[in-house]
Amino acid sequence: MQLSEGVEWGAHCAVVLAMLPDGAALPAGRLAEYHGVPGPYLAKSLQALMRAGIVASSPGRRGGYRLARPASAISLLDVVDAIEGERAFFRCTEIRRRGPAAVAGRANSPACHIAAAMWRAEERWREELAAVNVEEIARVVAEGVPPVARAKAEAWLSEVLASRG
Amino acid sequence: MQLSEGVEWGAHCAVVLAMLPDGAALPAGRLAEYHGVPGPYLAKSLQALMRAGIVASSPGRRGGYRLARPASAISLLDVVDAIEGERAFFRCTEIRRRGPAAVAGRANSPACHIAAAMWRAEERWREELAAVNVEEIARVVAEGVPPVARAKAEAWLSEVLASRG
DNA sequence: GTCCCTATACTCGGATAGCAAGTGTCCGAGTATAGGCGG
DNA sequence: CCGCCTATACTCGGACACTTGCTATCCGAGTATAGGGAC
């Protein structure tokens, strides 16, 4: 029961993309380099974000990834669902209907109380993640990061963007 | 990102054990038979509940499993933690410190905002599960289950207990 | 000088191996019981 | 008739294969660009 690593990567990538100048795009390889993660595998997560409509990709020489909609309209939950898929944590297999005490048809209780509690808890989790959006994260990061780190990041980004014409 | 099947089994087993008469125990094989699940594997989950101090086991001929403390003192969260382990869903690998924009030592921001949001959401999930205890579930199940199903379950249980002397 | 064409280099995208964790199973160690035996 | 001893059958507990899904990687399809050539 752990989120895949792609969730962390996808979230950080979304934040970085939110800080790009309008119209700019960043290739998967550069995003991987910036985060120090294996490039080809990060591409897999980015493709998932693509399918979910969170980021948009441009092919070709000056192509790359950019946010598909305003950062304020992208929640952490969107990113998690895109990477992990939207299936529930808890899957109820109705084991109460399988043993010697099972009865046929609709004579069972209407709902499994255990599953209901599990899904309710999961809903709380989703609500909390839905309340955080990428723009907010980017703003907090921009304010909280020490000047020296911010300068390094901006220098790197400028160089990358300049080298792309 | 899915809970293992053992969580469902463990929770249902706890509820069944909560309905036993005082002093009675049920072997793993019987619990598996009741739920229609593979016996030897269920034992694995029961051992996890044992290590967590949720159930107690008695060896020997009339041995088996019983709750180690009152059902009202066992929450769903206890069961989930016992089976899944208490490690967090989200593990922050601090990828912001790994790229070309990283700075050494303590010059980084104090906390990763993404990780903080993830852990906050997880806390909501845990709070919700901690608010549900096994006694409550057992009561709701006992009230809600149709008479015919309840009769079958009680008949099975009586037979099992009788066959154990 | 301007327009068009072509070759290029770069991008994404899906298809392909490797590995860890969950899933499923088994057999050995230990104990309470039941029956038999001796007093 | 009562107490003790032994054999038994049943229980748990940990050690051993197998499958699914995550991790990591590669190469092919497609496109915007840059340069060169023709008009």
Side-chain angles (χ1 to χ4, degrees):
Chain A
M1 175 61 175
Q2 284 194 231
L3 291 166
S4 59
E5 225 169 343
V7 170
E8 183 183 13
W9 300 357
H12 279 275
C13 285
V15 171
V16 170
L17 292 180
M19 293 173 169
L20 284 184
D22 275 358
L26 223 47
R30 295 297 177 180
L31 281 169
E33 172 190 342
Y34 182 83
H35 290 116
V37 299
Y41 181 43
L42 176 64
K44 203 177 187 64
S45 298
L46 288 171
Q47 285 168 29
L49 294 179
M50 167 78 180
R51 279 189 290 270
I54 293 175
V55 303
S57 65
S58 308
R61 186 160 186 177
R62 297 184 60 187
Y65 288 97
R66 64 186 183 282
L67 293 185
R69 54 178 192 260
S72 58
I74 300 172
S75 71
L76 259 188
L77 180 62
D78 293 333
V79 174
V80 172
D81 277 346
I83 305 284
E84 288 286 329
E86 291 195 38
R87 54 192 175 179
F89 297 168
F90 182 80
R91 48 191 163 172
C92 179
T93 59
E94 291 287 349
I95 63 177
R96 57 182 178 157
R97 297 195 186 182
R98 283 154 55 180
V103 292
R106 300 209 159 272
N108 290 283
S109 356
C112 177
H113 201 61
I114 292 173
M118 290 288 188
W119 291 333
R120 198 166 53 236
E122 190 172 334
E123 194 50 40
R124 296 285 171 279
W125 181 77
R126 294 176 67 84
E127 284 171 5
E128 192 71 27
L129 288 184
V132 184
N133 67 59
V134 170
E135 183 196 38
E136 178 188 336
I137 297 172
R139 195 172 53 240
V140 172
V141 167
E143 289 169 1
V145 76
V148 56
R150 180 167 188 173
K152 277 187 85 170
E154 287 181 350
W156 177 86
L157 182 58
S158 299
E159 186 181 351
V160 168
L161 292 180
S163 73
R164 291 164 54 82
Chain B
M1 177 62 176
Q2 285 194 224
L3 293 166
S4 59
E5 225 168 345
V7 170
E8 183 183 14
W9 301 356
H12 279 275
C13 285
V15 171
V16 169
L17 292 180
M19 294 174 169
L20 285 185
D22 275 357
L26 223 47
R30 294 297 177 182
L31 280 169
E33 171 190 343
Y34 181 82
H35 290 116
V37 299
Y41 183 42
L42 177 63
K44 203 178 187 64
S45 299
L46 288 171
Q47 284 168 29
L49 293 178
M50 168 77 181
R51 278 189 292 270
I54 294 174
V55 303
S57 65
S58 309
R61 185 159 184 175
R62 295 184 62 187
Y65 288 98
R66 62 185 185 283
L67 293 185
R69 55 179 191 260
S72 58
I74 301 173
S75 70
L76 258 188
L77 180 62
D78 293 332
V79 174
V80 172
D81 277 345
I83 305 284
E84 288 286 329
E86 291 195 37
R87 54 190 176 181
F89 297 168
F90 183 79
R91 47 191 162 173
C92 179
T93 59
E94 291 285 349
I95 63 176
R96 57 184 179 156
R97 296 195 187 180
R98 283 154 54 179
V103 292
R106 300 206 160 273
N108 290 281
S109 357
C112 177
H113 201 60
I114 291 172
M118 289 286 188
W119 291 332
R120 198 165 55 235
E122 189 171 334
E123 196 49 40
R124 296 285 170 281
W125 182 77
R126 294 176 66 85
E127 285 170 4
E128 192 72 28
L129 289 184
V132 184
N133 67 61
V134 170
E135 183 195 39
E136 179 187 334
I137 297 173
R139 194 170 57 240
V140 172
V141 167
E143 290 170 359
V145 77
V148 56
R150 181 167 189 173
K152 276 186 85 170
E154 288 181 350
W156 177 86
L157 182 60
S158 299
E159 185 181 354
V160 167
L161 291 180
S163 73
R164 292 165 52 83

